[in-house]
Amino acid sequence: MGAKGAYDTIRTLKNAVPAGLLSLCNSAHKSQPYFRERNIMGLEFDEHLIAKLAAIVGDEQVRTDSQSAAIYGIDWTRVYQPAPGAVVLPKTVEQVQALVQLAIAENLAIVASGGRTGLSGGAVAARGELLIALDNLNGMRDFNAIDRTVVCGAGVITEQLQNFAEQEGLFYPVDFASSGSSQIGGNISTNAGGIKVIRYGMTRDWVAGLKVVTGNGQLLDLNKGLKKNNAGYDLRQLFIGGEGTLGIVVEATMQLCRPPVDLSVLVLGVSDMSAIMDVLNTYQNKLDLTAFEFFSERALQKVIAHGDLNRPFETPAEYYALLEFEQISADTEELAMTLFEHCVEQGWVVDGVVSQSTAQLKNLWRLREDISETISRWMPYKNDISVLPSRVPDFLLNVESVVNQQYPDFEIIWFGHIGDGNVHLNILKPDDLAMDEFQQRCDVVSKQVFAIVEAYDGSVSAEHGVGLLKKDYLSYTRSKEEIDLMKQIKTVFDPRGIMNPGKIFD
């Protein structure tokens, strides 16, 4: 069945993504093609081409229906209508390589699809591409207790790896809200971060080895799990965070570690933004924190009004800090309380609470983790930005001043992984404002916000990637020379430009 007729029925994404998710977007993206000066897109996948795909993966693993397009052709953004030429679900690395080689021969563009939980349009297939969904590459093998490694297919769910590590008495520390549906291949391709970065780093830090199929159709086996390997360039690092523009991650050797023991959570009410960094410095000098998150009073109000949670304490504060640490000795909690008293004496903290049970720990974490779901009904306009942690207070004050001055009718919700300098700016859509007008007004805000990001030597994409939605703003973070070199690197691994074209840059 040809793709064109099969996808004529696609009209909307509203039922294909979680309600209320709206990432940073520019209204110009909806009218301008994201494949510029290219003629390989939009091909109708005729019966001859479908037969070639089926010969590689089997008839049942080739999809050309509108439902499959809606499921596999998008991520959690809601800006583009999915329109892949065909969806294929290979079951082996060899099949992925054969599909890429076929795409080279037929001059087809490729989009690799993982868990489709991204927030920047990096996994969108909207121009007749061959969409390679990696869901079936979900096996795990070759666990090594001495090396603390396990080999994962690209389609392994993040939570699956976390559970496997726990069963083996180990720990996979990269964690975030979408861990129950995101896939390891996608995590690697976007260098996913999350709530534990201050202690454990990004996904990049846990990839010991990598297998990728490049835009040349080559299968590369990179680093092979070695901790020490200074024999030339580490090509593995180019594919981590490469968003599928250089090649497709098909398999990864993932590093595990010892699990944290006897975790405790402190939630502190903080007098102002600058005091949050004083609190971070105080605790970080004495305790090995596993997390340091923050959220605003407005964010807390939304969560409390939405669900079954109560305020952590009666005294309201402008901001809240959530600290997680291990009680590695009997003295740890006493030290934490001593540091709390010091912060109160300095006027940085107005009140606080510490977990006394696993249930309390989970509920305190929910005050932070439930924010995204809670505010989704206002269809927030999201920015995922970062600066050096020491510069966060001044940076946030500058951003908030601009937004409040320009748009006093917009409600701002702040939260994020402030311990590593990553903050999330969420602008809530007023109920009486049309979505198109809201987006247009937010576009103006974004340009001003990114000008501040640039002035603070920050990043317009801390952990969600660039994709389609942020590529027009790449120059706020990367110099012309850097972008030119990125483009040259792409031509080495993908000389025909078939790998996820139009993403990161044109």
Side-chain angles (χ1 to χ4, degrees):
M1 182 179 182
K4 183 177 179 181
Y7 292 161
D8 280 345
T9 59
I10 300 173
R11 294 290 182 266
T12 179
L13 298 183
K14 290 182 179 179
N15 297 322
V17 295
L21 285 170
L22 174 65
S23 275
L24 168 68
C25 58
N26 186 321
S27 59
H29 285 309
K30 291 183 286 185
S31 60
Q32 296 178 0
Y34 60 80
F35 306 110
R36 297 173 185 171
E37 299 178 4
R38 302 194 60 81
N39 58 8
I40 65 174
M41 309 303 159
L43 296 176
E44 182 174 351
F45 279 49
D46 58 23
E47 292 181 2
H48 177 67
L49 188 51
I50 295 297
K52 288 185 177 182
L53 296 172
I56 296 173
V57 299
D59 290 336
E60 70 281 2
Q61 301 302 330
V62 180
R63 315 279 175 82
T64 58
D65 60 286
S66 58
Q67 183 177 5
S68 294
I71 292 172
Y72 294 102
I74 56 168
D75 55 16
W76 278 1
T77 54
R78 300 199 306 179
V79 181
Y80 300 92
Q81 291 189 348
V87 176
V88 291
L89 290 94
K91 294 184 176 181
T92 68
V93 170
E94 292 75 20
Q95 288 180 356
V96 175
Q97 187 176 17
L99 288 168
V100 173
Q101 291 171 346
L102 175 63
I104 292 171
E106 298 288 342
N107 204 31
L108 305 174
I110 292 173
V111 172
S113 173
R116 298 167 289 279
T117 59
L119 290 167
S120 62
V124 168
R127 295 294 187 275
E129 306 95 332
L130 173 63
L131 191 147
I132 301 178
L134 301 166
D135 301 52
N136 290 332
L137 273 67
N138 56 8
M140 303 175 68
R141 60 177 176 82
D142 296 344
F143 168 67
N144 190 304
I146 296 175
D147 298 328
R148 291 181 171 178
T149 58
V150 62
V151 177
C152 298
V156 168
I157 301 296
T158 310
E159 189 176 64
Q160 180 186 349
L161 175 57
Q162 292 169 338
N163 292 338
F164 174 84
E166 184 178 357
Q167 292 166 11
E168 298 296 337
L170 295 169
F171 185 56
Y172 180 66
V174 181
D175 196 14
F176 31 74
S178 64
S179 60
S181 54
S182 67
Q183 296 177 7
I184 291 299
N187 294 349
I188 292 170
S189 294
T190 57
N191 188 27
I195 61 176
K196 306 284 189 179
V197 170
I198 190 174
R199 168 78 171 270
Y200 297 103
M202 307 281 280
T203 297
R204 182 184 305 280
D205 300 294
W206 300 93
V207 181
L210 202 59
K211 282 188 179 180
V212 297
V213 177
T214 73
N216 280 317
Q218 299 169 313
L219 177 63
L220 301 181
D221 190 356
L222 305 173
N223 198 58
K224 301 180 180 179
L226 294 172
K227 280 191 176 294
K228 288 188 173 181
N229 183 7
N230 286 332
Y233 304 133
D234 188 354
L235 299 179
R236 164 188 51 155
Q237 300 299 335
L238 291 174
F239 292 89
I240 301 173
E243 300 187 45
T245 61
L246 305 179
I248 301 174
V249 172
V250 291
E251 190 175 270
T253 302
M254 303 303 294
Q255 191 74 53
L256 308 175
C257 64
R258 75 158 181 87
V261 295
D262 200 9
L263 289 170
S264 288
V265 163
L266 269 171
V267 172
L268 307 177
V270 184
S271 57
D272 56 55
M273 178 53 63
S274 62
I276 286 185
M277 307 318 291
D278 292 321
V279 172
L280 172 62
N281 186 52
T282 299
Y283 275 88
Q284 198 167 226
N285 286 340
K286 299 293 184 179
L287 290 175
D288 192 6
L289 300 176
T290 56
F292 190 90
E293 301 283 302
F294 97 109
F295 49 94
S296 63
E297 167 65 16
R298 287 183 177 180
L300 178 64
Q301 290 174 4
K302 299 295 186 187
V303 171
I304 298 304
H306 175 76
D308 56 348
L309 296 172
N310 297 316
R311 281 186 168 273
F313 37 79
E314 292 185 2
T315 311
E318 191 70 20
Y319 297 99
Y320 299 85
L322 184 151
L323 299 74
E324 185 184 73
F325 58 92
E326 294 179 90
Q327 294 200 43
I328 56 178
S329 72
D331 298 329
T332 305
E333 185 171 349
E334 182 179 348
L335 173 60
M337 292 303 100
T338 299
L339 296 175
F340 167 72
E341 291 172 2
H342 173 75
C343 290
V344 172
E345 290 171 357
Q346 299 300 314
W348 302 331
V349 170
V350 298
D351 208 340
V353 63
V354 63
S355 62
Q356 298 294 320
S357 67
T358 301
Q360 289 179 4
L361 181 145
K362 290 180 178 179
N363 281 337
L364 290 176
W365 260 116
R366 283 185 58 198
L367 296 174
R368 161 64 180 87
E369 292 189 313
D370 285 7
I371 295 172
S372 289
E373 179 184 353
T374 298
I375 65 175
S376 64
R377 86 160 190 84
W378 286 277
M379 298 184 180
Y381 188 95
K382 294 175 172 289
N383 279 281
D384 162 44
I385 47 188
S386 67
V387 296
L388 290 173
S390 60
R391 307 189 78 178
V392 166
D394 288 343
F395 171 73
L396 260 61
L397 288 174
N398 272 283
V399 170
E400 198 161 38
S401 174
V402 166
V403 177
N404 286 337
Q405 185 178 32
Q406 296 288 337
Y407 302 104
D409 54 331
F410 285 177
E411 189 172 10
I412 303 169
I413 301 295
W414 285 108
F415 63 91
H417 322 297
I418 198 168
D420 55 53
N422 178 195
V423 294
H424 300 294
L425 166 63
N426 296 263
I427 304 174
L428 305 191
K429 187 184 80 65
D431 291 336
D432 59 351
L433 187 63
M435 177 59 76
D436 286 347
E437 182 181 350
F438 176 61
Q439 289 179 231
Q440 291 170 6
R441 293 175 67 182
C442 285
D443 288 339
V444 177
V445 174
S446 286
K447 291 181 177 65
Q448 296 178 7
V449 169
F450 291 156
I452 299 173
V453 170
E454 184 177 29
Y456 278 79
D457 295 324
S459 174
V460 298
S461 179
E463 60 179 354
H464 293 160
V466 176
L468 290 170
L469 299 181
K470 298 180 184 177
K471 67 178 183 179
D472 286 350
Y473 307 112
L474 186 61
S475 61
Y476 285 90
T477 296
R478 300 296 188 187
S479 67
K480 180 181 183 302
E481 291 77 14
E482 286 179 287
I483 295 172
D484 287 344
L485 285 171
M486 289 181 194
K487 292 178 179 180
Q488 291 176 47
I489 290 170
K490 180 171 173 63
T491 63
V492 172
F493 292 99
D494 182 28
R496 296 165 184 81
I498 66 172
M499 285 292 177
N500 213 12
K503 313 299 169 58
I504 302 182
F505 43 70
D506 290 312

